[in-house]
Structure formats: C-alpha cells, structure tokens
Amino acid sequence: MKYMSIFCSACLAMLVAGCGSAAKRIDTGTQGITTVGAVDARDWQEVSVKAVNSLLESGVLVRADGRKSIVMVNQVKNNTGTNAPTQILTNKMRQALLSSGKALTSTAVGGAGPEDAATRQVRELENDDLFNQATVQKRGTVISPDFSLSGEIVKQQSNSGRTIEAAFYFHVVLTDLSTGLAVWEDTFDVAKQATSGFFY
C-alpha cells in the first residue's frame, strides 16, 4: 500500500508538470530565458548599451566644427553558426546613438542597401507633372555619413561532461569614411554556462 501511494504521488507530480502554464508577458531585461548556445534578448540589450557607451566615451564622434557626426549603421556579420538576427543589435545601437544626442544616423545608405528607400524615391519625382515641383525634395541635399559602424559576432563553445559553456565575442568597429581608417573598435564578451541533469 505504501509503494502504491508513492507511485500515485509520482504520477500526479508528472501529470501536473506536464500541464504547462498559460502564456504571459515578461520583461526580457530581467525575466527572459537565458540560452547557452545562442544570443538571447538580454545579450542584445547589454552589448548594445556597452558598445554605444564605449563609442561615446572615446570622443571620436566629437567634431571641431560643432556639427553632429552622421553615422551609417552597417552590417554586423553573424559568424556564430547559429541563427542570430544581428539587426536587433544594430537597431538598438542606432536608437542609443540618437538618444544620446551626440550623433545622427543615416537611413539613406547602408551595407545591405538603404534602411529607408524613400530618400531616393522622392527625388525621382522631379519632372513628374503629377507633383507640385516646389514641394519635391531636391537632389544634392542629402547629407552623406561621416562614419560607418560595423562588426561581427563569433562564438566559441566547449563541453566538459554535462557542462556546456559558450562564449560570444561581439566586435564592433567605427570607420572614418573620409579616410577608410578605423578610428574606434571594441570587443564585448558574453559567456554562459549550464549543466544538464542526469536524465536530460
């Protein structure tokens, strides 16, 4: 009878565990799932903040003429072997740069084409008699970027018994487009480790 009670309790526990839970909204900055083998929401947030702070502290964006530097946010290459949507990082960095008030970003040009093609499209309305030409944006008025922000992500993974460790290296570089020279670069490491259970 005692063993039957223990068996029933175990079955009930497995049944309850198998029921799952209802979907709910979470704060990805504090409650999101930490993934060992992939970049997760908190990683994107932390790296974007660190990268922009490092860039601003370097002072390379400060111009002698007082004008705000224009930054073209280029591509971040994913060399991790996993599906890492690097646009999350570049978008967060663009937002942080704009919020800082220290620089402006261009959406008219980009490594994979313009973020917003409208800048060129509206200038193709010249000589289109459907449009009032006095309201059409003119050629020669778009401001070219001073800098290009790009980078890559590399992953290194190792295992020891049931423990798995993955390190992600986010390398970001700012290029002066007038000279083609790198004027700032930094690397940000994110390392995560987990140990699986005996039956996992």
Side-chain angles (χ1 to χ4, degrees):
M1 190 68 174
K2 177 182 176 183
Y3 296 111
M4 179 62 74
S5 176
I6 294 173
F7 176 74
C8 290
S9 296
C11 288
L12 182 60
M14 286 190 292
L15 182 62
V16 170
C19 290
S21 61
K24 62 180 180 179
R25 296 190 183 279
I26 62 169
D27 177 359
T28 55
T30 58
Q31 298 173 302
I33 296 172
T34 298
T35 57
V36 176
V39 181
D40 57 47
R42 188 180 300 181
D43 300 331
W44 294 125
Q45 181 63 31
E46 290 181 359
V47 171
S48 64
V49 170
K50 289 179 180 178
V52 171
N53 286 344
S54 173
L55 174 56
L56 294 176
E57 289 169 5
S58 73
V60 297
L61 294 178
V62 178
R63 295 178 55 89
D65 60 9
R67 176 174 69 79
K68 290 183 180 180
S69 293
I70 312 297
V71 179
M72 174 182 117
V73 181
N74 211 323
Q75 292 178 303
V76 173
K77 299 175 184 176
N78 174 17
N79 292 324
T80 66
T82 64
N83 181 23
T86 58
Q87 188 176 1
I88 296 175
L89 178 62
T90 53
N91 286 348
K92 285 184 176 293
M93 291 182 68
R94 176 188 288 117
Q95 292 163 11
L97 277 172
L98 288 173
S99 297
S100 74
K102 303 291 180 63
L104 297 173
T105 61
S106 174
T107 59
V109 290
E115 179 86 9
D116 187 343
T119 301
R120 180 174 295 278
Q121 289 173 343
V122 296
R123 283 159 178 78
E124 294 172 355
L125 302 178
E126 288 182 333
N127 303 319
D128 187 330
D129 59 10
L130 182 64
F131 292 88
N132 179 342
Q133 291 299 302
T135 68
V136 174
Q137 300 298 328
K138 305 305 177 188
R139 295 177 184 274
T141 60
V142 179
I143 300 175
S144 178
D146 304 301
F147 300 99
S148 173
L149 187 64
S150 60
E152 68 173 337
I153 307 174
V154 177
K155 174 186 176 183
Q156 182 177 6
Q157 184 169 310
S158 57
N159 298 68
S160 178
R162 293 181 292 110
T163 300
I164 180 173
E165 181 176 289
F168 296 88
Y169 301 93
F170 297 76
H171 179 250
V172 188
V173 60
L174 187 75
T175 300
D176 184 335
L177 294 174
S178 66
T179 63
L181 300 176
V183 292
W184 168 87
E185 61 182 313
D186 208 340
T187 300
F188 308 92
D189 305 345
V190 174
K192 297 181 281 188
Q193 187 183 94
T195 301
S196 61
F198 284 106
F199 301 105
Y200 179 71

